[in-house]
C-alpha cells in the first residue's frame, strides 16, 4: 500500500490568487496523478506527473492554470493559478503501485479549496 | 476511450439488508475495473479490483463485485450492510496499458438507516 499526505487539507482563497498543494508519499513511486472533484461530481484527472519529465495534462487542463512539479519520487505539487470560484473543488493526488504485478492506485485525503 | 455509468445516484437501505450498487462501463479495449469508497470528508479507499481471472472479486468490509463481460457490468454487492457503510461509492475503469488514467463514474451515495 501507500500512505499519502496532502497539505493544506483545506483553504479559503480569494479570486485572482494562487494556491500550491503539496503531496507526499511514504515510498518511492514512478507515477503520480492529480485529480479534481468538483462539488457533487465525480473525479476528473487533471494530469500525470512522472519524475524527471514534464507533466502530461488531460483535455481541458493546461499547464499555465495548473502547473505541476515533481522534484523526486516521493513528492509533487499542484498549483491552482489565478483562481476563480469555479476552481472550488477537492483536489486529490494519487499514486500507482504494482505490488507483485497487481495494479493499484492509492489516493491522498484531498485538499478542499473554496474560492471566494 | 472508456466511460462508466453508475445507474443510481442514491441508494437508501435499512441496516442488515442486502445492497447492490450498479456499474456499467464501455470500452473498446480490455479493462481493469475498480470500486472505491469515500467516507465523509475523507479521501478514496480502494474496496476491490478486477484485473483478470475469476470474475467474482472479494474486497474489504464484506463487499464483493462480479465482472460480467457480456453485459459490461461490474456491480457491487454486500449481503448485509451496517450503518458504518454509509458513504459514497465510485466505480472506475482503466484501459489495459493505460492504468494511470482512471475514469470514474458519478458515484452512488449509500445511506444505511437503522
Amino acid at each position: 500500500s501507500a500512505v499519502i499526505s496532502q497539505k493544506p487539507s483545506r483553504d479559503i482563497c480569494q479570486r485572482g490568487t494562487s494556491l500550491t498543494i503539496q503531496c507526499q508519499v511514504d515510498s518511492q513511486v514512478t507515477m503520480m496523478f492529480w485529480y479534481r472533484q468538483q462539488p457533487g461530481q465525480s473525479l476528473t484527472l487533471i494530469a500525470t506527473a512522472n519524475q524527471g519529465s514534464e507533466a502530461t495534462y488531460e483535455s481541458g487542463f493546461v499547464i499555465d492554470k495548473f502547473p505541476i512539479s515533481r522534484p523526486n519520487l516521493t513528492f509533487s505539487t499542484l498549483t491552482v493559478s489565478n483562481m476563480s470560484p469555479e476552481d472550488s473543488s477537492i483536489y486529490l493526488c494519487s499514486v500507482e503501485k504494482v505490488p507483485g504485478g497487481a495494479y493499484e492506485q492509492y489516493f491522498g485525503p484531498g485538499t478542499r479549496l473554496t474560492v471566494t | 476511450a472508456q466511460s462508466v455509468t453508475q445507474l443510481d445516484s442514491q441508494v437508501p437501505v435499512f441496516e442488515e439488508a442486502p445492497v447492490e450498487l450498479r456499474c456499467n462501463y464501455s470500452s473498446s479495449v480490455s479493462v481493469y475495473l475498480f470500486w472505491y469508497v469515500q467516507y465523509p470528508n475523507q479521501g478514496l479507499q480502494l474496496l476491490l479490483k478486477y484485473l483478470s481471472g475469476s470474475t467474482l472479486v472479494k474486497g474489504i468490509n464484506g463487499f464483493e463485485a462480479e465482472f460480467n463481460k457480456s453485459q459490461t457490468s461490474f456491480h457491487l454487492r454486500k449481503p448485509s450492510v451496517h450503518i458504518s457503510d454509509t458513504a459514497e461509492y465510485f466505480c472506475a475503469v482503466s484501459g489495459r496499458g493505460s492504468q494511470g488514467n482512471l475514469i470514474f463514474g458519478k458515484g452512488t451515495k449509500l445511506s444505511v438507516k437503522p
Side-chain angles (χ1 to χ4, degrees):
Chain A
S1 67
V3 178
I4 305 170
S5 61
Q6 287 185 232
K7 290 182 181 179
S9 59
R10 59 178 62 225
D11 207 342
I12 301 173
C13 301
Q14 291 190 344
R15 69 173 67 205
T17 62
S18 298
L19 176 72
T20 296
I21 302 168
Q22 298 179 5
C23 178
Q24 180 75 52
V25 189
D26 68 339
S27 57
Q28 294 185 340
V29 294
T30 301
M31 298 182 75
M32 296 180 75
F33 310 91
W34 286 98
Y35 287 82
R36 180 174 73 180
Q37 186 179 19
Q38 293 178 299
Q41 302 293 317
S42 186
L43 284 78
T44 302
L45 181 65
I46 297 171
T48 301
N50 291 338
Q51 194 267 339
S53 63
E54 295 289 326
T56 304
Y57 289 82
E58 297 300 308
S59 175
F61 298 97
V62 295
I63 187 171
D64 290 345
K65 176 67 175 177
F66 298 101
I68 288 171
S69 77
R70 182 78 201 274
N72 58 52
L73 291 174
T74 62
F75 187 79
S76 178
T77 67
L78 169 76
T79 299
V80 186
S81 303
N82 189 25
M83 288 184 284
S84 67
E86 291 72 33
D87 294 320
S88 296
S89 296
I90 300 172
Y91 292 86
L92 300 102
C93 70
S94 73
V95 303
E96 177 183 275
K97 286 258 184 179
V98 191
Y103 171 79
E104 291 186 6
Q105 195 170 130
Y106 298 92
F107 286 80
T111 295
R112 186 179 296 270
L113 171 62
T114 302
V115 184
T116 60
Chain B
Q2 294 80 39
S3 67
V4 178
T5 302
Q6 290 184 244
L7 297 162
D8 306 296
S9 59
Q10 298 189 53
V11 173
V13 64
F14 287 106
E15 193 173 20
E16 298 184 4
V19 70
E20 179 180 81
L21 306 184
R22 296 181 292 170
C23 173
N24 286 90
Y25 71 92
S26 68
S27 177
S28 57
V29 300
S30 297
V31 296
Y32 294 147
L33 292 156
F34 308 83
W35 275 98
Y36 285 86
V37 59
Q38 186 176 36
Y39 298 103
N41 299 315
Q42 294 188 30
L44 274 74
Q45 181 181 4
L46 180 65
L47 265 181
L48 48 78
K49 63 188 178 187
Y50 171 78
L51 303 182
S52 65
S54 173
T55 58
L56 182 63
V57 180
K58 293 189 183 297
I60 62 172
N61 301 340
F63 283 94
E64 64 180 33
E66 185 157 18
F67 170 58
N68 188 317
K69 187 175 182 180
S70 63
Q71 297 188 3
T72 61
S73 67
F74 190 56
H75 300 333
L76 181 70
R77 302 185 182 99
K78 187 170 182 178
S80 176
V81 294
H82 302 290
I83 298 286
S84 59
D85 292 323
T86 295
E88 188 152 21
Y89 293 79
F90 292 95
C91 181
V93 63
S94 70
R96 291 175 185 244
S98 61
Q99 293 91 319
N101 191 357
L102 281 178
I103 307 299
F104 284 85
K106 291 185 180 296
T108 298
K109 290 184 179 177
L110 175 65
S111 298
V112 182
K113 304 177 187 301

